[in-house]
Amino acid sequence: MSLDVDAGHRTRMLPSNQRRHARPPGPRRLLSWLDLRAAPYFFVSPYFVLFAIFGIFPLIFTLWVSLHDWQLAGDKTFIGMENYTELLADDKFWNSVVNTVGIFMIATVPQLLLALLLANALNKKLRGRLVLRLSVLAPLITSVVAVAVVFTQLYGRDYGLVNWLLSLFGVDAIHWQNEKWTSWVAIATMVDWRWTGYNAIIYLAAMQTIPKDLYEAAAIDGASPRRQFWGITVPLLKPTIIFTVIVSTIGGFTLFAEPVMFGAGLMTGGTTGQFQTVAMFIVKEGFRDFQYGYAAAAAWILFLLILISALINFALVRGLGRSR
């Protein structure tokens, strides 16, 4: 029950349910509704508007282009699924898929493991920890072109530093660009050098949120630092590991700049396409051969490959977490 004073200064009792459902007059009621219900949607709407313009629309338009014989100039003939059927029978496309998956596997697995170990080391009490933590981000802010040029020189056949070091152990000079496996390793080292520190900082930030009490209790129980790392740190980092795995999957399947610079700017990925990625294949078909419909079909298949691979990696990481 509550008291209400009318214009004649008379006091009367209103039931609490009536007071609870009493609403403000028209304009105030509208403003109150806008503030409580519409304002949150208004504040988040810019993201969805930009996502629709730069995310959903390109996907739909690319799908529409993939269903046409789309040339730079001339008619746009609707051909249905012909681009997809031709693409699935194209040996060059599947060669680029194999190259992409191969480089991704060689680069991503050691990259995330090294990042995890590096983050664990940076999480210890060390002198100059801030400088060390900032230094691991130095490769990330370096131009990818500069990185590719330096690594191309390092892997040079005649005067490369890597071949010189291998010659000290009696290994003959390797032409890193001529074979699949050697070119994959060279490109993977570029990727690892650039992105290991980035993932390490993400892992380090996640490690900072783990309560110290868990490590103190484990130490009292006699757990070694190694046991604490694998028994406490890694399981609690599972959501972060899933995030980095998915992001690395997207980045690995869209790899473009490193192999292009490694191949002197050519989209063919070597004389026989030994390190041509799917992204390079799409750019070659679309912007060198001007087969936009064919390139759009390859882009959509790449999107599906990324989606399937991300789901598989997500399931694997979750399964490893549950198996402990």
Side-chain angles (χ1 to χ4, degrees), residues 40-53:
Y41 295 99
F42 174 77
F43 291 136
V44 301
S45 61
Y47 166 79
F48 290 100
V49 171
L50 293 175
F51 179 73
I53 296 174

Side-chain angles (χ1 to χ4, degrees), residues 5 27-29 33 45 49 51-52 55 59 76 88 100 105 107 117 139 163 179 214 217 223 230 238 250-251 294 303:
V5 181
R28 291 182 59 190
R29 179 180 176 183
W33 181 87
S45 61
V49 171
F51 179 73
L59 279 175
K76 279 74 174 175
L88 294 176
T100 303
M105 294 298 296
L117 297 176
N163 275 344
E179 301 294 335
L214 297 177
W230 293 109
K238 186 175 69 172
I250 297 173
Y294 199 65
F303 170 73

Side-chain angles (χ1 to χ4, degrees), residues 263-282:
L266 299 178
M267 296 299 162
T268 54
T271 55
T272 59
Q274 58 267 25
F275 55 90
Q276 183 189 46
T277 62
V278 179
M280 296 170 65
F281 178 86
I282 293 171

Side-chain angles (χ1 to χ4, degrees), residues 1-38:
M1 303 294 287
S2 63
L3 295 176
D4 184 28
V5 181
D6 58 13
H9 303 284
R10 291 175 300 176
T11 303
R12 61 188 177 90
M13 303 297 291
L14 287 178
S16 59
N17 61 343
Q18 292 185 14
R19 181 180 59 83
R20 186 168 54 251
H21 294 292
R23 296 178 179 177
R28 291 182 59 190
R29 179 180 176 183
L30 177 61
L31 291 175
S32 177
W33 181 87
L34 290 175
D35 183 48
L36 294 176
R37 299 297 178 88

Side-chain angles (χ1 to χ4, degrees), residues 12 17 20 45 91 102 135 186-187 190 201 211-212 242 260 262 266 287 296 307 323:
R12 61 188 177 90
N17 61 343
R20 186 168 54 251
S45 61
D91 292 337
S135 63
I187 295 171
M190 297 185 204
I201 292 298
K212 301 299 182 182
I242 291 175
V260 168
F262 188 68
L266 299 178
F287 299 99
L307 183 61
S323 63

Side-chain angles (χ1 to χ4, degrees), residues 85-102:
T85 55
E86 182 180 351
L87 191 66
L88 294 176
D90 191 345
D91 292 337
K92 293 182 179 179
F93 171 73
W94 288 112
N95 173 69
S96 67
V97 171
V98 172
N99 292 337
T100 303
V101 175

